[in-house]
Amino acid sequence: SRENFIHLRNPHLEKMKEDILYHFALGTGTHDFPALFGDVKFVCVGGSPSRMKAFIAYIAEELGLGSPGDDYPNICAGTDRYAMYKVGPVLSVSHGMGIPSISIMLHELIKLLHHAKCSNTTIIRIGTSGGIGLEPGSVVITRQSVDATFKPQFEQVILGKTVIRSTNLDEQLATELMQCSKEINQFNTVIGNTMCTLDFYEGQGRLDGAICLYNEEEKLQYLKEAYDSGVRNIEMESSVFAAMCNLSGVKAAVVCVTLLNRLEGDQISSSHDVLVEYQQRPQKLVGYFIKKSLGKA
């Protein structure tokens, strides 16, 4: 297949003698990026460092590249901002919570993949979300990320001007992931729109934050409007993730499990063990997709 390299949409980088990826504690002057990362074909990103470490241990075992109890060092140990783990062609990176945190990570991740001369790389966000009209534990593969007004766009102010970017995700990749879920047949999976908000409480219409100046009827009307527009889950990272991957020419997907049905409540009340099992579902689906892509399924 034709090699697709990362597009860096920044001509200024060519003039720099060294590129320091500050929040990763990595730099082109101190690290050999092609040697360290040149074989990466799959990047999985998620909010929690511990979850991304668990994912790399899981995928190592699935691909026959590791054994239970193996330790995987944090490549970004020089910083406490993000954690990064690698096994074979798979990179696992934490991104923190919310659009600002994931966008900083993505700027440096995209540059890392470019400096490493990676090609045909797929990036998948795996995470948790609030569902709308779905049983808790359902997995949503994102068709489009939409904003809090249900528009498929990411809006950012740059140099004092509002810039709007597309948040479409790769349709073929979403279809392939859906097929993988049918093949493993372990949990309910749907393709739907994902609403990306700037906040966990008021921005998502919760009634249980420190501030709430609307009533339950208004909340439910809003969530039902979201459902009618095609939204099936809510989280806080997908819009900038889709926008940045689009601009960089990277095939990308978002796969999130729903921890609750927001039409029935606001607080996550499932037991710890149930939530742990839910959080493993995106890992299982994406792990199977990677195995299948590598001819190991």
Side-chain angles (χ1 to χ4, degrees):
S1 63
R2 190 169 62 87
E3 285 196 304
N4 291 316
F5 292 94
I6 308 292
H7 308 310
L8 281 191
R9 304 292 292 270
N10 182 357
H12 306 289
L13 292 172
E14 296 174 12
K15 302 169 188 172
M16 293 166 45
K17 290 182 180 177
E18 179 184 5
D19 189 7
I20 297 169
L21 308 187
Y22 172 73
H23 302 89
F24 284 168
L26 299 170
T28 55
T30 52
H31 297 81
D32 185 340
F33 281 56
L36 287 169
F37 306 108
D39 61 339
V40 169
K41 297 297 180 189
F42 303 94
V43 184
C44 293
V45 303
S48 156
S50 61
R51 201 182 304 152
M52 300 323 291
K53 185 171 186 178
F55 176 75
I56 208 68
Y58 172 76
I59 200 68
E61 203 171 340
E62 287 291 295
L63 297 179
L65 299 173
S67 303
D70 284 358
D71 189 41
Y72 300 92
N74 178 10
I75 296 167
C76 298
T79 176
D80 59 2
R81 294 295 182 189
Y82 304 105
M84 179 186 296
Y85 306 94
K86 182 180 182 298
V87 64
V90 182
L91 197 63
S92 178
V93 192
S94 71
H95 59 60
M97 195 183 297
I99 286 171
S101 185
I102 192 174
S103 71
I104 294 166
M105 187 281 290
L106 285 170
H107 274 285
E108 298 189 13
L109 173 65
I110 289 164
K111 292 197 294 177
L112 180 153
L113 296 172
H114 172 78
H115 293 317
K117 298 180 171 58
C118 294
S119 65
N120 301 333
T121 307
T122 298
I123 305 180
I124 303 177
R125 167 169 143 66
I126 55 175
T128 58
S129 63
I132 303 182
L134 295 174
E135 283 295 312
S138 298
V139 171
V140 179
I141 300 165
T142 304
R143 176 183 289 112
Q144 285 182 318
S145 176
V146 300
D147 65 16
T149 64
F150 320 138
K151 293 176 184 172
Q153 63 185 37
F154 172 63
E155 191 175 297
Q156 184 170 7
V157 177
I158 302 172
L159 301 182
K161 297 176 182 176
T162 299
V163 176
I164 292 174
R165 290 171 174 167
S166 166
T167 54
N168 288 337
L169 287 152
D170 192 280
E171 285 185 39
Q172 182 186 348
L173 180 54
T175 301
E176 289 174 10
L177 286 161
M178 188 68 193
Q179 180 59 33
C180 286
S181 183
K182 290 176 182 175
E183 290 173 17
I184 59 177
N185 193 29
Q186 293 182 21
F187 39 79
N188 180 47
T189 303
V190 301
I191 294 178
N193 291 348
T194 295
M195 184 163 72
C196 183
T197 66
L198 303 178
D199 162 54
F200 184 81
Y201 287 97
E202 290 178 285
Q204 296 186 12
R206 279 184 162 83
L207 301 171
D208 61 341
I211 300 166
C212 179
L213 305 178
Y214 46 85
N215 61 37
E216 185 169 11
E217 186 180 344
E218 290 170 319
K219 165 209 153 174
L220 287 173
Q221 182 181 346
Y222 175 67
L223 292 180
K224 285 171 183 172
E225 286 174 9
Y227 184 88
D228 290 343
S229 76
V231 172
R232 294 295 175 267
N233 65 333
I234 312 173
E235 46 84 272
M236 296 187 291
E237 293 87 20
S238 59
S239 61
V240 72
F241 174 81
M244 291 182 69
C245 288
N246 274 337
L247 282 169
S248 305
V250 183
K251 188 184 284 191
V254 177
V255 179
C256 289
V257 69
T258 61
L259 301 183
L260 75 167
N261 179 1
R262 286 294 317 288
L263 295 175
E264 297 178 354
D266 295 332
Q267 296 209 328
I268 298 165
S269 57
S270 298
S271 70
H272 173 74
D273 290 345
V274 168
L275 292 176
V276 167
E277 195 278 320
Y278 284 173
Q279 290 172 20
Q280 290 170 350
R281 292 180 179 186
Q283 296 186 16
K284 288 178 181 177
L285 174 50
V286 173
Y288 180 81
F289 166 76
I290 291 172
K291 279 179 69 177
K292 188 176 177 183
S293 300
L294 296 172
K296 294 189 174 186

